[in-house]
Amino acid sequence: EDQVTQSPEALRLQEGESSSLNCSYTVSGLRGLFWYRQDPGKGPEFLFTLYSAGEEKEKERLKATLTKKESFLHITAPKPEDSATYLCAVQEEGGFQKLVFGTGTRLLVSP
Amino acid sequence: DVKVTQSSRYLVKRTGEKVFLECVQDMDHENMFWYRQDPGLGLRLIYFSYDVKMKEKGDIPEGYSVSREKKERFSLILESASTNQTSMYLCASSLGGQGYSPLHFGNGTRLTVT
């Protein structure tokens, strides 16, 4: 059974304090790994898709990386508006656009 | 921008009631999904549909059914609501085909069953 584990569950940073969120996964064959951001009271918003080990994607202060067993979401010099829950999801090869989600990391960035 | 609209933000229903959750998307997407989100359990797939009148069970379909009579609309039905169906329900849509296209989510319906 596919599993996605995110750590830490919660992370509190000071503005400008860089850090990383982790997503480890077990699938028989990875088709893609996805990062979403979810603000309170809203649905998840798509951030990145990674398809193969070694791939990296960047968006503003966020950079996602992928290895064969895990993905990291690096947050560089975060701002309070980066506060949200970050969700990781995997799609197995052959799985029709079905995603298995982790439980997320709640990030709070204080000014 | 893709818009996925869920008809209610909050619903309170009684045990045994039949409950309809409605979702509409405006981008002509082939695929539509219903997830529920619970603390500590993440998002779990209930049902999905890749075409009009087509439906497939997700990971937790028990106690639910769906209807997709038109491409833009995907309804989730709780035949007889129970307290363990109290949850946040999220609808999503994506382009069709075998490749992956991002899921676009609505803002959710928080359902309480008393």
Side-chain angles (χ1 to χ4, degrees):
Chain A
E1 185 179 313
D2 298 350
Q3 284 204 329
V4 180
T5 303
Q6 292 188 245
S7 61
E9 283 188 23
L11 180 62
R12 187 165 191 156
L13 299 173
Q14 290 294 121
E15 185 171 2
E17 180 187 0
S18 302
S19 188
S20 296
L21 313 183
N22 177 264
C23 171
S24 62
Y25 62 90
T26 54
V27 293
S28 55
L30 182 70
R31 188 170 197 176
L33 184 140
F34 313 96
W35 283 98
Y36 284 82
R37 169 192 169 126
Q38 186 174 22
D39 293 299
K42 293 194 172 182
E45 177 187 343
F46 172 72
L47 292 173
F48 304 110
T49 309
L50 301 166
Y51 295 104
S52 57
E55 190 175 358
E56 298 183 352
K57 294 270 179 76
E58 283 190 68
K59 181 178 181 179
E60 296 181 359
R61 294 175 292 282
L62 300 177
K63 183 168 82 171
T65 61
L66 181 65
T67 72
K68 288 190 176 178
K69 292 185 178 180
E70 57 191 350
S71 176
F72 292 93
L73 185 65
H74 307 277
I75 304 176
T76 302
K79 297 182 177 182
E81 53 262 42
D82 294 321
S83 298
T85 296
Y86 291 86
L87 300 171
C88 170
V90 299
Q91 182 186 13
E92 188 180 23
E93 281 216 341
F96 172 79
Q97 294 207 25
K98 282 177 59 176
L99 300 187
V100 177
F101 281 84
T103 54
T105 294
R106 292 190 315 277
L107 174 66
L108 177 63
V109 182
S110 303
Chain B
D1 265 1
V2 176
K3 192 157 187 182
V4 178
T5 303
Q6 296 184 230
S7 55
S8 304
R9 291 299 305 272
Y10 301 94
L11 274 179
V12 179
K13 296 292 181 181
R14 293 194 177 274
T15 303
E17 278 193 77
K18 190 168 186 176
V19 182
F20 293 86
L21 303 183
E22 307 287 347
C23 174
V24 176
Q25 50 94 5
D26 66 358
M27 280 302 289
D28 203 34
H29 283 174
E30 282 78 15
N31 304 323
M32 296 189 76
F33 306 80
W34 276 106
Y35 285 85
R36 65 178 281 178
Q37 186 174 29
D38 300 288
L41 295 177
L43 276 80
R44 293 178 292 165
L45 182 62
I46 305 171
Y47 267 97
F48 63 99
S49 168
Y50 54 88
D51 201 352
V52 176
K53 297 193 185 293
M54 303 301 290
K55 59 185 179 185
E56 295 285 342
K57 292 180 180 179
D59 299 316
I60 51 164
E62 296 78 19
Y64 304 95
S65 62
V66 290
S67 172
R68 194 166 180 201
E69 296 296 318
K70 293 185 177 181
K71 189 175 186 179
E72 68 270 19
R73 187 179 297 270
F74 194 34
S75 303
L76 180 69
I77 303 153
L78 286 66
E79 297 289 342
S80 177
S82 63
T83 55
N84 63 11
Q85 293 178 310
T86 291
S87 185
M88 170 69 85
Y89 289 88
L90 290 162
C91 175
S93 72
S94 70
L95 287 170
Q98 289 301 306
Y100 177 79
S101 65
L103 296 182
H104 296 268
F105 284 88
N107 281 331
T109 296
R110 186 166 293 280
L111 172 67
T112 302
V113 183
T114 61

